[in-house]
Amino acid sequence: MSAVPLPGAVPAAAPPAPPAFGLRLATGLTGVLLAVLVAGLNENITKVALADIRGAMGIARDDASWLVALYAAASVSAMAFAPWCSVTFSLRRLTAGAIIVCMAAGLLCPFAPNLSVLMILRVVQGVAGGALPPMLMTVALRFLPPNIKLYGLGGYALSATFGPSLGTPLAAFWTEYLGWQWAFWQVVPGSIVALLMVSWGLPQDPLRLERFRQFDWCGLLLGLPAISMLVVGMLQGERLAWFASPLICVLLGGGAVLLVLFFINEWSHPLPFFKLQLLSRRNLSHALLTLGGVLFVLLAVILIPSSYLAQVHAYRPLQTAPVMLMVALPQLIALPLVAAMCNLRAVDCRWVLAIGLGMLAVSCVLGARMSPDWIRTHFYLLQAVQIFAQPMAVIPLLLLATTGLAPQDGPFASAWFNTIKGMSAVVATGVLDALITRRNHFHSTVLSERLGNLQVGVDMAGMAQRMHAQVVTLTSSDLYLCVAAIALAMIVIIPILPTRVYPPRAA
């Protein structure tokens, strides 16, 4: 079954032929990459520095959780609809506008007079920041010559590997040395540079306002609340006891119903936000499915050591920073090397993906052997294994998802990939929070029963502290084993679903 064009439908014209790739386009692409990294760091840094921000601005813990949830909802929603807007208003206009708005909102956040204003500013910044990652993928697919296209997609992969790992070290630096305000202001210098590079480097496409004649109003009115409700429900679920809360029931149940209606609408709309017919491509479907699992793993291997060190040994972010930098900084070398390997026709990227997932599983199995005596240095070996494992688990997915796409399908693939990327990170956060709570309760109960017959006179304060350390350690070990199982499960489907692809080459 295929979509039937309606009378008067705006044709899905292919983008104009790209100009010759040179210094100007390279500058524009680098500017978009910088803007994406800055926006991603903005989200991660403000999460890590949230305790300092709450203390300085007098925000309660529950209220602060809404700051995170609303930002994420705005960001993921923007990822879904930004590709359509980039075709309508042009890549350069939309990218430059998003950079300006993200920078302005970040500049104003520390001056917010109350929580309501701060929430509005963060929602606006979330929309702007979420609109940028799809632009990077679209620019790479459209403007890069075939022989080096994979290197541009490797730059996009930095947003999934380099950016999240760098969030903790930078948050530690800003809060320890310059003040909590820089958790918001750090977007400004990079945004100014990115804006100049994008404004000069990207070509200016004409406006295509005729696309509004067939604007997908029904899709917008169904999809926007669906995505927002699901994101907020996942991020607030654990705090509000999931389905024991009427609010969570409405958010997750209502969001799921609206999402189904949204996809039904998108199937037959002549100018949709999402082209469901692309899912018939086995490699794209596999890439989207595996992407969710990979992001779960990447988020977990950042959360587990940082949370363990903070709870058991009272590490502040500055003390945890070396563990994160152990993975983050080498990505600048590892990513191009993995991209170069996948760019060889003799290399089957499916097995690069399998090896990368296997290395992630090995790292997690090693982590599952942890004890309460582990300190920062014990995690260095685990992090070292992930230096190449992370790009090997991401770059092949980009190659599988984008190879063979028609130029006019680039924005649709970008919408799919980035929305799944954003939604997967949210789902992973919700699932990890739930797992941590339940395993903590389980181990606390078991240890309490074993210690229930202790004689009077035992140092109960010291015992409680040691038991807490043991509970956190056992929970962290369980999480590592869970993550290893997910990585291994994704290896199992590689021989079944994706087909062999070759790196793009000029005709």
Side-chain angles (χ1 to χ4, degrees):
M1 180 178 178
S2 60
V4 179
L6 300 180
V10 178
F21 186 77
L23 175 63
R24 192 159 187 166
L25 269 177
T27 301
L29 177 61
T30 306
V32 181
L33 173 60
L34 177 60
V36 170
L37 291 177
V38 167
L41 288 173
N42 169 68
E43 180 177 6
N44 290 308
I45 287 173
T46 47
K47 283 182 184 177
V48 175
L50 195 58
D52 297 274
I53 295 170
R54 286 197 300 108
M57 303 186 75
I59 301 173
R61 181 185 296 272
D62 288 349
D63 292 336
S65 71
W66 283 101
L67 280 174
V68 174
L70 292 177
Y71 182 97
S75 178
V76 178
S77 298
M79 291 178 185
F81 300 105
W84 187 95
C85 296
S86 72
V87 177
T88 305
F89 299 108
S90 84
L91 274 168
R92 191 168 84 177
R93 288 190 185 93
L94 186 64
T95 304
I99 293 172
I100 292 171
V101 172
C102 186
M103 176 173 56
L107 193 62
L108 294 173
C109 277
F111 302 108
N114 52 56
L115 180 62
S116 298
V117 173
L118 181 59
M119 284 185 174
I120 292 171
L121 287 172
R122 287 296 284 171
V123 167
V124 170
Q125 194 177 38
V127 171
L132 289 169
M135 299 305 99
L136 178 58
M137 177 175 278
T138 303
V139 168
L141 290 174
R142 179 178 166 189
F143 293 120
L144 285 179
N147 291 355
I148 62 171
K149 187 167 292 185
L150 193 55
Y151 294 96
L153 294 173
Y156 173 86
L158 283 174
S159 64
T161 58
F162 177 77
S165 296
L166 200 60
T168 296
L170 281 179
F173 177 79
W174 301 132
T175 54
E176 294 286 344
Y177 296 112
L178 296 180
W180 63 271
Q181 296 91 338
W182 280 93
F184 295 110
W185 291 345
Q186 52 89 26
V187 302
V188 175
S191 294
I192 292 174
V193 175
L195 181 62
L196 293 174
M197 297 173 78
V198 166
S199 300
W200 181 72
L202 291 186
Q204 182 58 72
D205 296 332
L207 288 169
R208 295 193 59 196
L209 300 181
E210 73 278 0
R211 288 164 57 87
F212 277 105
R213 293 203 302 266
Q214 297 231 266
F215 185 72
D216 188 4
W217 288 108
C218 188
L220 180 66
L221 295 175
L222 290 170
L224 182 59
I227 294 172
S228 300
M229 291 167 69
L230 290 171
V231 170
V232 174
M234 288 299 303
L235 293 180
Q236 292 288 357
E238 185 59 30
R239 186 179 69 85
L240 298 177
W242 292 102
F243 293 105
S245 165
L247 176 61
I248 298 301
C249 291
V250 170
L251 289 173
L252 295 182
V257 171
L258 289 176
L259 188 66
V260 171
L261 295 175
F262 170 70
F263 284 141
I264 292 173
N265 174 80
E266 295 301 281
W267 178 266
S268 58
H269 198 279
L271 200 60
F273 295 110
F274 283 83
K275 191 173 182 180
L276 271 73
Q277 289 80 1
L278 284 180
L279 296 182
S280 63
R281 302 171 60 93
R282 290 172 56 183
N283 286 345
L284 177 61
S285 297
H286 167 261
L288 296 177
L289 175 65
T290 306
L291 178 66
V294 168
L295 288 175
F296 186 99
V297 172
L298 297 188
L299 184 65
V301 296
I302 293 173
L303 172 68
I304 295 171
S306 58
S307 177
Y308 164 84
L309 291 172
Q311 293 185 68
V312 175
H313 298 292
Y315 276 38
R316 282 186 56 80
L318 188 65
Q319 296 169 294
T320 309
V323 179
M324 302 297 107
L325 290 173
M326 183 78 182
V327 174
L329 295 181
Q331 293 299 307
L332 299 176
I333 298 174
L335 268 163
L337 291 178
V338 173
M341 178 172 60
C342 291
N343 210 31
L344 300 173
R345 288 185 61 84
V347 174
D348 188 339
C349 71
R350 295 175 298 176
W351 307 123
V352 175
L353 173 62
I355 294 171
L357 291 170
M359 291 170 66
L360 285 174
V362 168
S363 172
C364 293
V365 169
L366 292 174
R369 301 170 61 190
M370 65 193 300
S371 72
D373 298 327
W374 275 34
I375 57 174
R376 183 173 64 198
T377 54
H378 288 90
F379 289 96
Y380 287 163
L381 175 61
L382 278 63
Q383 302 296 88
V385 174
Q386 294 171 31
I387 291 172
F388 279 93
Q390 291 191 13
M392 290 173 71
V394 176
I395 290 180
L397 293 179
L398 291 164
L399 181 58
L400 287 166
T402 59
T403 299
L405 279 177
Q408 61 268 27
D409 286 334
F412 293 115
S414 180
W416 272 116
F417 205 87
N418 285 280
T419 305
I420 294 297
K421 174 175 173 284
M423 188 63 78
S424 297
V426 169
V427 172
T429 300
V431 171
L432 285 171
D433 286 346
L435 284 174
I436 290 171
T437 299
R438 280 144 186 79
R439 298 311 292 173
N440 275 341
H441 288 168
F442 171 78
H443 292 300
S444 294
T445 301
V446 172
L447 291 177
S448 296
E449 290 175 352
R450 291 180 181 177
L451 298 175
N453 296 323
L454 281 177
Q455 295 179 357
V456 178
V458 173
D459 179 7
M460 296 306 294
M463 183 61 68
Q465 184 177 3
R466 290 194 295 273
M467 191 173 84
H468 170 72
Q470 189 67 38
V471 167
V472 173
T473 303
L474 290 172
T475 298
S476 300
S477 178
D478 290 347
L479 289 179
Y480 269 130
L481 289 176
C482 177
V483 171
I486 291 173
L488 293 174
M490 290 186 291
I491 296 176
V492 172
I493 64 174
I494 291 176
I496 302 170
L497 194 55
T499 58
R500 174 77 187 269
V501 298
Y502 293 92
R505 292 289 185 266

